[in-house]
PDB file of all heavy atoms in Angstrom:
ATOM      1  N   PRO A 207    -198.652  69.814-263.523  1.00 98.00           N
ATOM      2  CA  PRO A 207    -197.246  69.873-263.963  1.00 98.00           C
ATOM      3  C   PRO A 207    -197.038  70.993-264.985  1.00 98.00           C
ATOM      4  O   PRO A 207    -197.938  71.305-265.775  1.00 98.00           O
ATOM      5  CB  PRO A 207    -197.024  68.499-264.588  1.00 98.00           C
ATOM      6  CG  PRO A 207    -198.372  68.078-265.063  1.00 98.00           C
ATOM      7  CD  PRO A 207    -199.336  68.630-264.044  1.00 98.00           C
ATOM      8  N   TRP A 208    -195.851  71.590-264.950  1.00 98.00           N
ATOM      9  CA  TRP A 208    -195.534  72.657-265.889  1.00 98.00           C
ATOM     10  C   TRP A 208    -194.059  72.614-266.276  1.00 98.00           C
ATOM     11  O   TRP A 208    -193.225  72.054-265.579  1.00 98.00           O
ATOM     12  CB  TRP A 208    -195.906  74.037-265.337  1.00 98.00           C
ATOM     13  CG  TRP A 208    -195.252  74.387-264.026  1.00 98.00           C
ATOM     14  CD1 TRP A 208    -195.771  74.208-262.778  1.00 98.00           C
ATOM     15  CD2 TRP A 208    -193.944  74.956-263.823  1.00 98.00           C
ATOM     16  NE1 TRP A 208    -194.876  74.623-261.816  1.00 98.00           N
ATOM     17  CE2 TRP A 208    -193.750  75.090-262.435  1.00 98.00           C
ATOM     18  CE3 TRP A 208    -192.928  75.365-264.683  1.00 98.00           C
ATOM     19  CZ2 TRP A 208    -192.575  75.611-261.886  1.00 98.00           C
ATOM     20  CZ3 TRP A 208    -191.753  75.890-264.144  1.00 98.00           C
ATOM     21  CH2 TRP A 208    -191.593  76.008-262.759  1.00 98.00           C
ATOM     22  N   TRP A 209    -193.772  73.235-267.412  1.00 98.00           N
ATOM     23  CA  TRP A 209    -192.417  73.407-267.943  1.00 98.00           C
ATOM     24  C   TRP A 209    -192.354  74.829-268.463  1.00 98.00           C
ATOM     25  O   TRP A 209    -193.312  75.311-269.077  1.00 98.00           O
ATOM     26  CB  TRP A 209    -192.210  72.400-269.072  1.00 98.00           C
ATOM     27  CG  TRP A 209    -190.904  72.483-269.796  1.00 98.00           C
ATOM     28  CD1 TRP A 209    -189.779  71.770-269.512  1.00 98.00           C
ATOM     29  CD2 TRP A 209    -190.585  73.286-270.934  1.00 98.00           C
ATOM     30  NE1 TRP A 209    -188.784  72.091-270.409  1.00 98.00           N
ATOM     31  CE2 TRP A 209    -189.258  73.022-271.286  1.00 98.00           C
ATOM     32  CE3 TRP A 209    -191.298  74.213-271.695  1.00 98.00           C
ATOM     33  CZ2 TRP A 209    -188.623  73.638-272.360  1.00 98.00           C
ATOM     34  CZ3 TRP A 209    -190.670  74.837-272.757  1.00 98.00           C
ATOM     35  CH2 TRP A 209    -189.349  74.547-273.077  1.00 98.00           C
ATOM     36  N   ARG A 210    -191.232  75.543-268.202  1.00 98.00           N
ATOM     37  CA  ARG A 210    -191.122  76.944-268.631  1.00 98.00           C
ATOM     38  C   ARG A 210    -189.799  77.209-269.322  1.00 98.00           C
ATOM     39  O   ARG A 210    -188.728  76.843-268.824  1.00 98.00           O
ATOM     40  CB  ARG A 210    -191.269  77.890-267.437  1.00 98.00           C
ATOM     41  CG  ARG A 210    -191.203  79.363-267.846  1.00 98.00           C
ATOM     42  CD  ARG A 210    -191.396  80.322-266.682  1.00 98.00           C
ATOM     43  NE  ARG A 210    -190.302  80.237-265.736  1.00 98.00           N
ATOM     44  CZ  ARG A 210    -190.436  79.920-264.451  1.00 98.00           C
ATOM     45  NH1 ARG A 210    -191.617  79.660-263.944  1.00 98.00           N
ATOM     46  NH2 ARG A 210    -189.386  79.872-263.661  1.00 98.00           N
ATOM     47  N   LEU A 211    -189.890  77.915-270.442  1.00 98.00           N
ATOM     48  CA  LEU A 211    -188.733  78.380-271.194  1.00 98.00           C
ATOM     49  C   LEU A 211    -188.587  79.876-270.989  1.00 98.00           C
ATOM     50  O   LEU A 211    -189.544  80.630-271.175  1.00 98.00           O
ATOM     51  CB  LEU A 211    -188.932  78.081-272.691  1.00 98.00           C
ATOM     52  CG  LEU A 211    -187.925  78.701-273.662  1.00 98.00           C
ATOM     53  CD1 LEU A 211    -186.525  78.142-273.434  1.00 98.00           C
ATOM     54  CD2 LEU A 211    -188.381  78.457-275.098  1.00 98.00           C
ATOM     55  N   ASP A 212    -187.402  80.308-270.570  1.00 98.00           N
ATOM     56  CA  ASP A 212    -187.075  81.728-270.477  1.00 98.00           C
ATOM     57  C   ASP A 212    -186.251  82.059-271.704  1.00 98.00           C
ATOM     58  O   ASP A 212    -185.126  81.566-271.863  1.00 98.00           O
ATOM     59  CB  ASP A 212    -186.286  82.002-269.193  1.00 98.00           C
ATOM     60  CG  ASP A 212    -185.940  83.475-268.999  1.00 98.00           C
ATOM     61  OD1 ASP A 212    -186.136  84.292-269.936  1.00 98.00           O
ATOM     62  OD2 ASP A 212    -185.455  83.814-267.907  1.00 98.00           O
ATOM     63  N   LEU A 213    -186.794  82.885-272.590  1.00 98.00           N
ATOM     64  CA  LEU A 213    -186.095  83.263-273.825  1.00 98.00           C
ATOM     65  C   LEU A 213    -185.017  84.316-273.586  1.00 98.00           C
ATOM     66  O   LEU A 213    -184.294  84.680-274.508  1.00 98.00           O
ATOM     67  CB  LEU A 213    -187.101  83.769-274.859  1.00 98.00           C
ATOM     68  CG  LEU A 213    -188.089  82.721-275.364  1.00 98.00           C
ATOM     69  CD1 LEU A 213    -189.190  83.384-276.179  1.00 98.00           C
ATOM     70  CD2 LEU A 213    -187.363  81.662-276.168  1.00 98.00           C
ATOM     71  N   LEU A 214    -184.926  84.824-272.364  1.00 97.00           N
ATOM     72  CA  LEU A 214    -183.912  85.791-271.934  1.00 97.00           C
ATOM     73  C   LEU A 214    -184.031  87.145-272.613  1.00 97.00           C
ATOM     74  O   LEU A 214    -183.148  87.993-272.477  1.00 97.00           O
ATOM     75  CB  LEU A 214    -182.494  85.216-272.131  1.00 97.00           C
ATOM     76  CG  LEU A 214    -182.244  83.849-271.486  1.00 97.00           C
ATOM     77  CD1 LEU A 214    -180.868  83.334-271.860  1.00 97.00           C
ATOM     78  CD2 LEU A 214    -182.409  83.926-269.975  1.00 97.00           C
ATOM     79  N   ASP A 215    -185.094  87.348-273.374  1.00 97.00           N
ATOM     80  CA  ASP A 215    -185.382  88.618-274.021  1.00 97.00           C
ATOM     81  C   ASP A 215    -186.853  88.592-274.436  1.00 97.00           C
ATOM     82  O   ASP A 215    -187.504  87.554-274.327  1.00 97.00           O
ATOM     83  CB  ASP A 215    -184.481  88.843-275.237  1.00 97.00           C
ATOM     84  CG  ASP A 215    -184.268  90.324-275.546  1.00 97.00           C
ATOM     85  OD1 ASP A 215    -185.010  91.167-275.000  1.00 97.00           O
ATOM     86  OD2 ASP A 215    -183.370  90.638-276.340  1.00 97.00           O
ATOM     87  N   TYR A 216    -187.357  89.704-274.939  1.00 97.00           N
ATOM     88  CA  TYR A 216    -188.762  89.802-275.320  1.00 97.00           C
ATOM     89  C   TYR A 216    -188.903  89.580-276.821  1.00 97.00           C
ATOM     90  O   TYR A 216    -188.136  90.134-277.608  1.00 97.00           O
ATOM     91  CB  TYR A 216    -189.319  91.172-274.924  1.00 97.00           C
ATOM     92  CG  TYR A 216    -189.215  91.401-273.445  1.00 97.00           C
ATOM     93  CD1 TYR A 216    -188.115  92.054-272.895  1.00 97.00           C
ATOM     94  CD2 TYR A 216    -190.201  90.931-272.587  1.00 97.00           C
ATOM     95  CE1 TYR A 216    -188.003  92.243-271.526  1.00 97.00           C
ATOM     96  CE2 TYR A 216    -190.103  91.114-271.215  1.00 97.00           C
ATOM     97  CZ  TYR A 216    -189.003  91.767-270.696  1.00 97.00           C
ATOM     98  OH  TYR A 216    -188.892  91.946-269.343  1.00 97.00           O
ATOM     99  N   TYR A 217    -189.896  88.783-277.206  1.00 97.00           N
ATOM    100  CA  TYR A 217    -190.116  88.444-278.609  1.00 97.00           C
ATOM    101  C   TYR A 217    -191.596  88.489-278.942  1.00 97.00           C
ATOM    102  O   TYR A 217    -192.452  88.329-278.063  1.00 97.00           O
ATOM    103  CB  TYR A 217    -189.603  87.020-278.902  1.00 97.00           C
ATOM    104  CG  TYR A 217    -188.109  86.888-278.812  1.00 97.00           C
ATOM    105  CD1 TYR A 217    -187.500  86.525-277.611  1.00 97.00           C
ATOM    106  CD2 TYR A 217    -187.290  87.135-279.908  1.00 97.00           C
ATOM    107  CE1 TYR A 217    -186.120  86.408-277.512  1.00 97.00           C
ATOM    108  CE2 TYR A 217    -185.909  87.018-279.817  1.00 97.00           C
ATOM    109  CZ  TYR A 217    -185.330  86.658-278.619  1.00 97.00           C
ATOM    110  OH  TYR A 217    -183.973  86.546-278.522  1.00 97.00           O
ATOM    111  N   ASP A 218    -191.892  88.674-280.226  1.00 97.00           N
ATOM    112  CA  ASP A 218    -193.217  88.432-280.770  1.00 97.00           C
ATOM    113  C   ASP A 218    -193.167  86.997-281.282  1.00 97.00           C
ATOM    114  O   ASP A 218    -192.417  86.685-282.212  1.00 97.00           O
ATOM    115  CB  ASP A 218    -193.536  89.402-281.903  1.00 97.00           C
ATOM    116  CG  ASP A 218    -193.721  90.828-281.406  1.00 97.00           C
ATOM    117  OD1 ASP A 218    -194.214  90.999-280.272  1.00 97.00           O
ATOM    118  OD2 ASP A 218    -193.377  91.766-282.139  1.00 97.00           O
ATOM    119  N   ILE A 219    -193.957  86.126-280.685  1.00 97.00           N
ATOM    120  CA  ILE A 219    -193.870  84.691-280.966  1.00 97.00           C
ATOM    121  C   ILE A 219    -194.977  84.297-281.936  1.00 97.00           C
ATOM    122  O   ILE A 219    -196.161  84.536-281.678  1.00 97.00           O
ATOM    123  CB  ILE A 219    -193.935  83.888-279.660  1.00 97.00           C
ATOM    124  CG1 ILE A 219    -192.723  84.269-278.801  1.00 97.00           C
ATOM    125  CG2 ILE A 219    -193.973  82.384-279.942  1.00 97.00           C
ATOM    126  CD1 ILE A 219    -192.748  83.738-277.399  1.00 97.00           C
ATOM    127  N   TYR A 220    -194.567  83.695-283.050  1.00 97.00           N
ATOM    128  CA  TYR A 220    -195.497  83.313-284.103  1.00 97.00           C
ATOM    129  C   TYR A 220    -195.799  81.819-284.120  1.00 97.00           C
ATOM    130  O   TYR A 220    -196.905  81.424-284.461  1.00 97.00           O
ATOM    131  CB  TYR A 220    -194.963  83.761-285.468  1.00 97.00           C
ATOM    132  CG  TYR A 220    -195.004  85.261-285.593  1.00 97.00           C
ATOM    133  CD1 TYR A 220    -193.912  86.046-285.224  1.00 97.00           C
ATOM    134  CD2 TYR A 220    -196.154  85.900-286.031  1.00 97.00           C
ATOM    135  CE1 TYR A 220    -193.970  87.428-285.309  1.00 97.00           C
ATOM    136  CE2 TYR A 220    -196.220  87.284-286.115  1.00 97.00           C
ATOM    137  CZ  TYR A 220    -195.119  88.036-285.753  1.00 97.00           C
ATOM    138  OH  TYR A 220    -195.195  89.405-285.818  1.00 97.00           O
ATOM    139  N   ASN A 221    -194.835  80.984-283.793  1.00 97.00           N
ATOM    140  CA  ASN A 221    -195.045  79.539-283.820  1.00 97.00           C
ATOM    141  C   ASN A 221    -194.357  78.870-282.634  1.00 97.00           C
ATOM    142  O   ASN A 221    -193.234  79.231-282.289  1.00 97.00           O
ATOM    143  CB  ASN A 221    -194.468  78.915-285.098  1.00 97.00           C
ATOM    144  CG  ASN A 221    -195.267  79.273-286.319  1.00 97.00           C
ATOM    145  OD1 ASN A 221    -196.446  78.964-286.401  1.00 97.00           O
ATOM    146  ND2 ASN A 221    -194.629  79.933-287.270  1.00 97.00           N
TER     147      ASN A 221
END
Side-chain angles (χ1 to χ4, degrees):
W208 57 266
W209 176 93
R210 182 178 66 239
L211 170 65
D212 182 350
L213 294 170
L214 307 175
D215 207 346
Y216 300 93
Y217 292 91
D218 291 327
I219 298 171
Y220 291 91
N221 289 300

